[in-house]
Amino acid sequence: MFKRLTLLLTISNGVFTKTRSFRSEHIYSTTHIEYSNYDEVIVVCTDPNPTSSYYEFVNNLVKELSIPLVLSGNVSNLDQAKLMFELGADRIILNRAIWKNPSIIKDIAEIYGKQAVIVSLDFILKEGRICSFDWGKQIPRDSLFPENFTTYIPYIGEILIQDKELDGRVIGANIESISNICSLLPSSMPIHVGSCGLVSWAQYSDLLSIDSIDAVSVTNVHHMSLKATRALRDFSIKNKINLRTP
């Protein structure tokens, strides 16, 4: 199986921002990014709901892209999903909705295909247990998965795993927790690792070497330049990671 390197951009008020625990800290430009060096671009809206400036950012981005686009934006019903696809999304991310209205997973998959549905699990450690983070209440939940989650597995194209606490921190990823989450999911389910505090090429390779992990996102702004991304690809290939060529 070919592994993928993707780009994940966190957007607030219509601009690319560096985040810490998915809260905006610093504004950055995207002019230094060569999108074609990635296999996919993921745009994560860090505002409670998308604004007109978010849609404007997406519209401008679509004009530059020749690779698949993934959009998030608190999608909770079919009309919102339709809007994201009309904006240019090839796939969309579901997060809060899987806890409030999990049937939306099946509803979207039956219209657009399950390959278009990504479920995001933003995890946090709670008293040593891996739990999902509730963005609405701003507290950890008591479990990692919603009730009856296995019922909807057949309608999910990919799981996106993100570490709420380590997003934006330069202390390295919690690979043990990510690996543990992978072990709880069906071996046939493609897993995509998003923001999790990666700081070294070795950690990217460590994650990509896990059989069930299909893709890892570049989220560190210092890793997004063409030079850095090429160095990451070269390092991974030397470490026998079967990377897809963009």
Side-chain angles (χ1 to χ4, degrees):
M1 178 178 70
F2 283 106
K3 303 294 181 106
R4 298 178 299 131
L5 284 177
T6 64
L7 174 69
L8 190 151
L9 300 174
T10 44
I11 308 301
S12 178
N13 293 318
V15 294
F16 170 41
T17 62
K18 175 192 176 298
T19 58
R20 184 180 293 259
S21 295
F22 293 99
R23 292 184 178 180
S24 300
E25 281 195 336
H26 305 293
I27 294 174
Y28 285 96
S29 168
T30 58
T31 56
H32 68 295
I33 299 174
E34 179 57 57
Y35 296 112
S36 62
N37 207 41
Y38 298 94
D39 297 300
E40 186 173 57
V41 174
I42 302 171
V43 179
V44 172
C45 177
T46 60
D47 301 320
N49 289 290
T51 62
S52 59
S53 57
Y54 174 78
Y55 297 134
E56 182 179 356
F57 177 90
V58 172
N59 282 327
N60 290 331
L61 176 64
V62 166
K63 297 173 185 177
E64 299 184 54
L65 291 184
S66 59
I67 57 175
L69 173 65
V70 176
L71 294 179
S72 83
N74 196 20
V75 173
S76 59
N77 58 54
L78 286 175
D79 286 341
Q80 292 170 341
K82 180 182 178 183
L83 174 59
M84 292 296 180
F85 288 115
E86 290 176 344
L87 281 169
D90 295 280
R91 306 196 288 165
I92 62 172
I93 294 173
L94 300 177
N95 188 310
R96 301 182 201 184
I98 70 171
W99 295 87
K100 298 178 179 179
N101 179 27
S103 62
I104 190 67
I105 298 172
K106 180 180 178 182
D107 294 342
I108 294 173
E110 289 182 336
I111 296 173
Y112 299 98
K114 80 170 191 177
Q115 80 287 340
V117 179
I118 300 174
V119 164
S120 179
L121 298 175
D122 299 343
F123 76 90
I124 187 171
L125 295 182
K126 177 184 178 183
E127 299 175 350
R129 295 184 299 114
I130 302 173
C131 299
S132 173
F133 188 77
D134 186 328
W135 291 105
K137 296 180 180 179
Q138 292 291 306
I139 58 173
R141 294 185 174 95
D142 292 327
S143 62
L144 178 61
F145 304 112
E147 187 177 358
N148 299 322
F149 184 65
T150 55
T151 303
Y152 298 99
I153 288 289
Y155 304 99
I156 299 172
E158 186 175 84
I159 299 287
L160 177 68
I161 298 174
Q162 303 200 98
D163 189 329
K164 187 265 181 186
E165 286 298 289
L166 292 184
D167 168 66
R169 301 179 190 272
V170 288
I171 56 177
N174 186 341
I175 293 179
E176 180 180 1
S177 289
I178 293 172
S179 181
N180 287 339
I181 295 172
C182 292
S183 70
L184 299 173
L185 294 165
S187 59
S188 59
M189 174 62 69
I191 296 173
H192 197 144
V193 179
S195 186
C196 62
L198 289 169
V199 295
S200 70
W201 298 161
Q203 284 203 321
Y204 283 92
S205 288
D206 286 346
L207 286 172
L208 287 166
S209 67
I210 297 174
D211 289 341
S212 55
I213 292 179
D214 171 68
V216 174
S217 290
V218 173
T219 61
N220 186 325
V221 66
H222 302 295
H223 296 169
M224 292 180 182
S225 69
L226 181 59
K227 180 178 180 181
T229 310
R230 284 177 174 171
L232 171 55
R233 285 188 173 276
D234 289 345
F235 182 93
S236 299
I237 291 170
K238 287 178 182 177
N239 281 273
K240 304 187 184 306
I241 304 297
N242 194 21
L243 279 183
R244 180 184 177 278
T245 302

